[in-house]
Amino acid sequence: MKQAIIFDLDGVIVCTDEYHYLAWKQVADSEGIYFDREINERLRGVSRIESLEIILERAAKSYTDEEKLKLADKKNIIYRESLTKLTPEDILPGVIDLLDELKNRSIKAAIGSSSKNTQFILQRIGLMNRFDSIADGNGITKSKPDPEVFLLAARLLKIDPQECAVVEDAYAGIDAAKAAGCKAIAVGSAQNYKKADYSADDISKLGIEELIS
Ligand code: BG6
Ligand code: MG
């Protein structure tokens, strides 16, 4: 039986993905760069600056590092503004019940997210004190599909990664979980990814036994 579940944040615990998309769309439009929801799927789980690099693949000119940082900051200002609208009602279906069930069974819960806004989001939705460890974009140098964030979450929990299951909505996140040696559970956008060990529409459809076995 697994000793801990590590949750991705965006698209697993809370539906911030639309806010990410709208903020990047505003930045891309202002630069005259084509960007749509299909391209946006490639940004799931990927760091802010790497997300920008993907968007800039379609740019007509090249950008200096300074210009890139400015665009990434601009996106984050727009995104943070939309995050102020988040409330506990934005927590995705099944999350609270699962956290309660894990607590009842003395199974640890952690966050493993590429986002540097993790703490701000958890505060907004009232879940800041529901996790035993939080590994996020501020504590890592390589974002998913690199396993660093999940290895950090497991290390903070003092639990072997092989004793952890990861819940993810990104292909890059499933790859990262497997590379870390964790069980990989896919929800949402990643649910058809063959590399996952188990999949469901969302957390409310996950059977606890499949999750922790
Ligand atoms: C991930 C999102 O959780 O966080 C990515 O799936 C995002 O789309 C990444 O780019 C970084 O987020 P932030 O909040 O640090 O810009
Ligand atoms: Mg995600």
Side-chain angles (χ1 to χ4, degrees):
M1 194 180 81
K2 299 295 178 205
Q3 293 176 36
I5 309 296
I6 305 172
F7 295 87
D8 172 48
L9 178 67
D10 294 312
V12 169
I13 298 287
V14 64
C15 193
T16 44
D17 8 13
E18 184 68 7
Y19 294 148
H20 274 297
Y21 169 69
L22 292 173
W24 280 127
K25 178 74 180 149
Q26 208 172 312
V27 170
D29 286 353
S30 72
E31 294 298 307
I33 302 168
Y34 181 77
F35 180 60
D36 63 17
R37 286 176 190 278
E38 196 182 328
I39 302 166
N40 185 58
E41 283 300 310
R42 290 176 57 204
L43 312 188
R44 282 184 194 275
V46 173
S47 72
R48 193 180 308 160
I49 204 75
E50 287 169 276
S51 296
L52 177 63
E53 295 288 0
I54 292 170
I55 291 167
L56 293 183
E57 285 170 8
R58 283 170 183 75
K61 61 164 196 155
S62 60
Y63 288 76
T64 64
D65 286 349
E66 200 185 332
E67 287 170 329
K68 287 178 188 173
L69 281 177
K70 271 195 186 148
L71 289 180
D73 283 349
K74 182 175 169 181
K75 182 265 177 175
N76 197 46
I77 289 167
I78 301 166
Y79 177 60
R80 288 278 289 217
E81 177 61 29
S82 32
L83 291 182
T84 60
K85 287 180 266 177
L86 282 182
T87 73
E89 288 185 10
D90 294 297
I91 297 170
L92 286 165
V95 171
I96 300 292
D97 287 349
L98 177 56
L99 290 174
D100 288 345
E101 182 65 20
L102 294 177
K103 202 170 182 60
N104 286 341
R105 295 178 183 233
S106 300
I107 296 168
K108 304 268 189 221
I111 291 284
S113 168
S114 304
S115 174
K116 294 183 173 171
N117 292 301
T118 294
Q119 299 228 358
F120 183 65
I121 293 169
L122 289 175
Q123 274 156 7
R124 293 291 320 160
I125 60 176
L127 289 186
M128 195 57 203
N129 299 319
R130 292 300 305 266
F131 296 94
D132 300 287
S133 80
I134 295 173
D136 68 17
N138 298 297
I140 54 169
T141 54
K142 289 167 262 148
S143 86
K144 302 165 189 175
D146 191 280
E148 188 180 4
V149 77
F150 296 134
L151 295 175
L152 175 61
R155 194 162 71 241
L156 292 171
L157 290 171
K158 299 189 175 62
I159 292 176
D160 189 308
Q162 301 197 346
E163 300 302 325
C164 300
V166 165
V167 187
E168 259 294 347
D169 73 317
Y171 281 46
I174 296 293
D175 287 342
K178 297 303 291 180
C182 303
K183 180 172 181 176
I185 316 285
V187 293
S189 293
Q191 64 182 289
N192 295 322
Y193 192 26
K194 299 277 177 290
K195 276 178 81 176
D197 296 302
Y198 180 61
S199 312
D201 275 0
D202 62 41
I203 284 187
S204 71
K205 312 269 172 25
L206 283 176
I208 182 87
E209 299 305 333
E210 284 85 357
L211 187 58
I212 63 177
S213 63

